[in-house]
Amino acid sequence: MSAHPSAPNPFKQPKAVWAVAFACVISFMGIGLVDPILPSLSSQLHATPSQVSLLFTSYLVVTAVAMLVTGFVSSRIGAKRTLVAGLVVIVLFSAAAGASGSIDGIVGFRAGWGLGNALFIATSLAVIVGSASGGFAGAIILYETALGIGIAIGPLLGGELGGISWRGPFFGVSALMAIALIATIVLVQPTPTPARRASIADPIKALRHRGLLTMGLTALCYNWGFFTVLGYAPFPMDLGTHELGYVFTGWGLLVAFFSVFGAPWLQSRLGIARSLYLNLALFALDILVIGLFTDSKTTLIVAVIVAGAFIGINNTITTQAVMTVAPVERPVASASYGFVRFIGGGLAPYAAGKIAEHSGVHLPFYIGAAAVALGIGVLATGHSLLAEAERVQAAEAAGHAPAEERRETLEKQALAEELGSAG
C-alpha cells in the first residue's frame, strides 16, 4: 500500500455543488465585468475616473458591510434560501444598473448588487465546503477555480457586450444570474437552519482571535494593491473597450490557472508562510513596475496580465489558511474575513482616482505596492499560526488529525486569546 494516498479529484462533485459553483462563476464575473467599459462610461456619462471608480467602491464596500449580516440571515432561513435571496438581488440590481442613465444611478445600483453579492459569496463558500466530496482542500480549489473562471470571463464578456453598448454587460450579468438562480433552485437541496442562530456581532467578535485578524488585515493590504490595479489601470492603458476586455481576460486566465495549479504546487514546495511571503513580495514588485512604467503601454499591459498569477496564488493559499486557523464556524470566518478584505478592495479604486487627479498617474501604484509590502509585515506577526495551519492541512490531507482534535486545539487557542485580552 502507498504511504501517501492519492488526493481525491476536486472536480468530481455532486450536481448541487456544480450548480453553486456555476453561480459563483457568474457572480465573480461581476468583479471584472466593468473594467473594459470604465473609460467608455467616463467619456459617455461625462464622469471623472474617480467618479467611475465608485462602481467598484460602492459594490465592494457594501459587500464588505453586508458580510456582517450573512450569518445572521442564513442561520434563520437556511443556506439555500440565502443563496436564492442573494441571486434575486443581483438579478434585479444588475438589470437596474443597465437601465440607468447616470453615473450616480449606476453607482447606487452597484451598491445594491453588492448586497446580493455578500449574501451569495459568504454562503456559497460554506455550502461548497460543506457539500463537496474530496475534502476541504479540494472544495477550496473548486471555489477558487470558479472565482478564476469568473474573473477571466467577466472582462471578455464585458468587452464584447460593452463594444455594443455600455449597458450590455449589466444586462448580460442579469440574464446569466437568472440562469444560475434557476439552477440553484432546482439542484440545491433545501438546507436545515442551524441549531444556533448567529448574531450580527459574531463576525466582529471573531476578529478578537489573532489568527483571523492577522489574515484579514493582510488581505486588506493585499486587496488595496489588487483593486488599485483592477480599478484604475484601465485608464492609463488608453485602449478601446474590446482591447481592454482581452487584456483583463489574459489577466483572469492567469488568476484561474495559478489558483488551481500554481498555488498547490508552490505550497507543496515552500509551505504556506514562505509561499505567501514570496508571492506578496513579487506582487508588490509587479505593482511597482506598473507605477514606474505607467507611460509605457506595452510594459503596463504585460505587468497587469502577470499580476493575475500572484493574485491566483494568494487567493487559494490565503483562503485555505483562513479557514484553517479560524477558531470559529466557517460561515462566521468567511463573513469576518470578507468584511475586512473587501473594505480594502472597495476604498482603493476611488482613492487611486483621487490621488491621480492631484498627484499624477504613478503615485496610486506606488501606494498600492507599499500596501502589499506592508501586508508582508502584518502576516509575519502571525508566522506561528501559519505553521499550525500548515500542520493541520497536512494531517487532514493524510487522513488523520480528526476534526474534533483540530477544533479542540483552535478552541483552546481562542480561549487563551480571550483571557489574554480580558486581562
Side-chain angles (χ1 to χ4, degrees), residues 223-281:
N223 272 280
W224 191 282
F226 172 10
F227 282 96
T228 296
V229 173
L230 192 64
Y232 189 72
F235 292 101
M237 275 188 204
D238 192 28
L239 296 173
T241 301
H242 289 289
E243 290 78 11
L244 277 174
Y246 301 146
V247 168
F248 280 96
T249 297
W251 167 85
L253 287 172
L254 288 189
V255 173
F257 180 85
F258 281 88
S259 291
V260 179
F261 302 107
W265 180 86
L266 187 64
Q267 183 177 330
S268 69
R269 281 152 182 79
L270 298 181
I272 293 176
R274 285 191 292 172
S275 294
L276 288 177
Y277 294 147
L278 175 63
N279 191 63
L280 290 173

Side-chain angles (χ1 to χ4, degrees), residues 214-224 314 318 337 340-341 344-345:
T214 300
M215 298 303 294
L217 291 176
T218 301
L220 187 153
C221 295
Y222 154 79
N223 272 280
W224 191 282
N314 191 82
T318 303
Y337 175 67
V340 178
R341 70 170 173 151

Side-chain angles (χ1 to χ4, degrees), residues 58-243:
S58 64
Y59 174 74
L60 291 170
V61 169
V62 170
T63 295
V65 176
M67 281 284 184
L68 299 177
V69 305
T70 55
F72 176 86
V73 174
S74 64
S75 66
R76 283 160 176 76
I77 67 174
K80 178 177 178 177
R81 289 177 180 172
T82 306
L83 287 176
V84 169
L87 289 168
V88 168
V89 170
I90 295 172
V91 168
L92 294 176
F93 278 93
S94 55
S100 179
S102 69
I103 193 66
D104 289 340
I106 298 172
V107 168
F109 290 126
R110 277 281 283 184
W113 188 342
L115 171 61
N117 196 51
L119 291 171
F120 177 78
I121 285 180
T123 311
S124 65
L125 177 55
V127 169
I128 287 179
V129 169
S131 305
S133 60
F136 167 66
I140 294 294
I141 289 175
L142 180 64
Y143 182 78
E144 293 299 336
T145 301
L147 184 151
I149 293 173
I151 284 179
I153 296 176
L156 182 63
L157 181 66
E160 294 304 310
L161 295 178
I164 302 170
S165 166
W166 63 261
R167 300 178 189 274
F170 298 109
F171 288 131
V173 163
S174 183
L176 288 170
M177 269 303 194
I179 296 172
L181 172 62
I182 294 170
T184 301
I185 291 172
V186 173
L187 297 177
V188 177
Q189 294 299 314
T191 53
T193 56
R196 187 184 77 84
R197 291 189 172 188
S199 162
I200 291 179
D202 282 351
I204 296 295
K205 289 179 180 177
L207 292 174
R208 293 181 300 181
H209 304 308
R210 185 181 163 207
L212 197 51
L213 180 61
T214 300
M215 298 303 294
L217 291 176
T218 301
L220 187 153
C221 295
Y222 154 79
N223 272 280
W224 191 282
F226 172 10
F227 282 96
T228 296
V229 173
L230 192 64
Y232 189 72
F235 292 101
M237 275 188 204
D238 192 28
L239 296 173
T241 301
H242 289 289
E243 290 78 11

